[in-house]
Amino acid sequence: MADQTNQDQASEPVVTSTPATNAATQTEKPAAAPAAKKEKAPTVESKPFVEFMEQDYLPALQKAIAAEGVQDLQLAFAKQKFPISGLTSSSEECWQVIGSWRNGQRRFNVYFPDEDIQGKKGFSCNEGGKPSTLESFLIDERKITLEMLVSRLVYRLNGQKWLGRN
């Protein structure tokens, strides 16, 4: 039996630890888990609705429309009824961005009935009287950003031929 035990020990490979093998085994260890992702700073769009509109959207819109050559733009943000001709006076109030220039002759409204920039939005404009049409605004977009709200409104007003050299 002693011979059997010696043979078993002899057939097993002997592993010795050398500095070279220690370095190899250390480099073969699985990489440490990546550091936890840094949390992104909250976006301006994640601010409360009224705060975002007053602190971010109105100033950005003022600047963008002024860059198109409109000098006397008046912007307001208010909760009021839809000013559309033909709507009953009992219509609900909603938040609106109200813009006008040329002594109030050119007016537009952007409506936010859900009090959320990601929710439903509407648009109306008129030259002189009350608007008669309420259009949907930015309905196909998945995520609304400040830049998108500004640029698409400027684009829409330019389509009306109200900006620049139109």
Side-chain angles (χ1 to χ4, degrees), residues 62-139:
Q62 180 85 35
K63 184 177 177 182
I65 294 176
E68 294 291 326
V70 175
Q71 301 301 318
D72 63 336
L73 177 65
Q74 300 296 314
L75 284 177
F77 180 62
K79 190 169 190 176
Q80 61 187 28
K81 294 181 180 183
F82 289 90
I84 308 294
S85 295
L87 281 182
T88 62
S89 60
S90 64
S91 66
E92 294 183 28
E93 291 185 342
C94 78
W95 285 105
Q96 302 174 36
V97 172
I98 305 148
S100 66
W101 68 96
R102 287 199 176 171
N103 296 321
Q105 288 298 306
R106 289 187 174 172
R107 299 180 53 89
F108 69 88
N109 294 58
V110 181
Y111 307 96
F112 296 89
D114 295 340
E115 296 184 26
D116 181 6
I117 64 168
Q118 304 300 333
K120 295 176 188 174
K121 291 168 284 307
F123 172 83
S124 66
C125 62
N126 63 297
E127 200 160 3
K130 283 181 114 180
S132 59
T133 304
L134 176 62
E135 305 172 16
S136 57
F137 186 65
L138 293 174
I139 59 170

Side-chain angles (χ1 to χ4, degrees), residues 18-87:
T18 63
T21 59
N22 283 342
T25 57
Q26 287 177 354
T27 58
E28 291 175 12
K29 288 183 182 178
K37 291 184 179 180
K38 292 182 181 178
E39 289 189 29
K40 293 181 181 178
T43 61
V44 295
E45 294 85 3
S46 63
K47 287 182 177 180
F49 176 72
V50 173
E51 185 179 319
F52 166 77
M53 297 303 282
E54 291 174 341
Q55 295 176 1
D56 299 298
Y57 185 56
L58 291 180
L61 188 59
Q62 180 85 35
K63 184 177 177 182
I65 294 176
E68 294 291 326
V70 175
Q71 301 301 318
D72 63 336
L73 177 65
Q74 300 296 314
L75 284 177
F77 180 62
K79 190 169 190 176
Q80 61 187 28
K81 294 181 180 183
F82 289 90
I84 308 294
S85 295
L87 281 182

